């Protein structure tokens, strides 16, 4: 892992910073719905037309084939400029398309990858089920081969942007007689197919980007199977390695900024004890120190993961370590924000999004659940990294 920026990276950073200064949208992202989708697609198209989409993607898919370290620089500058995130494009950009690059047929790649990069397609993920969340191998949604199609019946839950998506990366059980981790297939599902019903779920933070998805004999062409029939567990593990590792890099980096903002806030707000400023309270100061150090540690772990991923395959255990630290720091930082703001925390009338302390506090609860619970991440680290007995 390098600690010094090269001349090429410094030049790239200056170029990125200048472009963002001219192009970051002045208007805030709508909370959800069709307006949010339109906003996200427009921002993605603007990045693509400016040459800032798919920085580390292969050239044949519209990318620039630059090192992952430069993609990291771009994300750092986006966080600094408070640029919008990928929004409803996160699934397609950050794990569905990387999975297709690794396991998809040439036809599947040609059909979808460039369209996601240019802001023409939105993807969602159909992995979790009511009785198979962290225990993903317990999925029951079935896909029965009928001629040249799979007939899919079942239910998925916690599908991010399911109501806005054009396609879905869907896991189905295609061989019920196989062992638990076998007989699963990873398929491309057209969300406009007959037999699909999507029900949005409103979250306690106020938005509704999650959804339940129901499948009633949905017909999916067998040519949409990725990585081979009954080989979906292997493909899904690649997807999850992207999701747990680098997919949320911007959110991870953002915490360092938020922790520093808390320090500045503590200089202005009164101490919870009512004596002096919050920053003068020894306990508050210690909590701020732990939050800042935790966020900087997360930043260093993220950069280490990126540095290693540039040289070899991403390891699931290492990605899980980053995910654990992310959830710990996110909840620590936003709990401290709640304590500093006191009763005013409940009166925060900022719009839903990163500018609302209340929204971010409520959002932080899901960081120890999404992508596999914190307990599952600990099990992965113990099993694959520490080699502990089961």
């Amino acid at each position: 892992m390098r600690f010094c920026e090269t001349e090429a990276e410094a030049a790239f950073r200056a170029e990125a910073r200048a472009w963002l200064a001219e192009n970051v949208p002045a208007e805030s992202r709508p909370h959800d719905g069709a307006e949010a989708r339109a906003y996200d697609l427009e921002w993605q198209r603007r990045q693509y037309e400016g040459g800032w989409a798919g920085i580390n993607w292969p050239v044949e898919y519209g990318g620039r084939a630059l090192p992952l370290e430069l993609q990291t620089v771009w994300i750092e500058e986006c966080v600094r400029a408070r640029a919008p995130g990928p929004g409803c494009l996160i699934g397609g950009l950050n794990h569905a398309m990387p999975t297709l690059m690794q396991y998809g047929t040439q036809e599947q790649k040609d059909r979808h990858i460039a369209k996601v990069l240019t802001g023409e397609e939105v993807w969602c993920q159909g992995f979790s089920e009511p009785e198979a969340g962290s225990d993903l191998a317990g999925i029951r949604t079935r896909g029965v081969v009928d001629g040249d199609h799979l007939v899919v019946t079942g239910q998925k839950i916690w599908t991010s942007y399911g109501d806005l998506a054009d396609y879905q990366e869907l896991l189905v059980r295609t061989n019920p007689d196989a062992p638990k981790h076998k007989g699963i297939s990873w398929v491309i599902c057209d969300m406009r197919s007959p037999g699909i019903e999507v029900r949005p779920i409103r979250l306690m933070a106020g938005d509704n980007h999650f959804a339940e998805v129901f499948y009633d004999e949905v017909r999916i062409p067998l040519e949409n199977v990725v990585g081979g029939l009954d080989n979906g567990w292997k493909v899904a593990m690649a997807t999850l390695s992207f999701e747990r590792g680098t997919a949320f890099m911007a959110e991870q980096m953002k915490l360092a900024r938020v922790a520093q903002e808390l320090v500045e806030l503590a200089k202005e707000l009164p101490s919870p004890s009512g004596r002096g400023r919050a920053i003068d309270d020894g306990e508050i100061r210690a909590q701020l120190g732990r939050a800042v150090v935790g966020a900087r540690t997360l930043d260093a772990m993220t950069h280490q993961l990126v540095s290693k991923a540039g040289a070899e395959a991403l390891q699931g255990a290492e990605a899980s370590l980053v995910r654990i630290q992310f959830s710990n720091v996110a909840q620590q930082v936003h709990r401290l924000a709640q304590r500093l703001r006191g009763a005013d925390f409940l009166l925060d009338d900022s719009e839903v999004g990163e500018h609302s302390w209340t929204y971010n506090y409520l959002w932080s609860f899901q960081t120890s659940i999404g992508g596999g619970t914190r307990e599952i991440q600990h099990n992965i680290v113990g099993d694959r990294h520490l080699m502990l007995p089961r």
Side-chain angles (χ1 to χ4, degrees), residues 206-224:
D207 49 5
N208 60 356
H209 73 262
F210 282 125
E212 293 179 282
V213 184
F214 298 86
Y215 311 83
D216 182 10
E217 298 189 347
V218 176
R219 299 185 67 84
I220 300 175
L222 281 174
E223 65 184 26
N224 285 13

Side-chain angles (χ1 to χ4, degrees), residues 358-378:
T358 304
Y359 173 85
N360 283 304
Y361 169 72
L362 295 171
W363 163 86
S364 71
F365 284 90
Q366 63 85 27
T367 61
S368 55
I369 302 172
T373 66
R374 186 183 288 153
E375 291 76 15
I376 290 294
Q377 309 295 350
H378 279 140

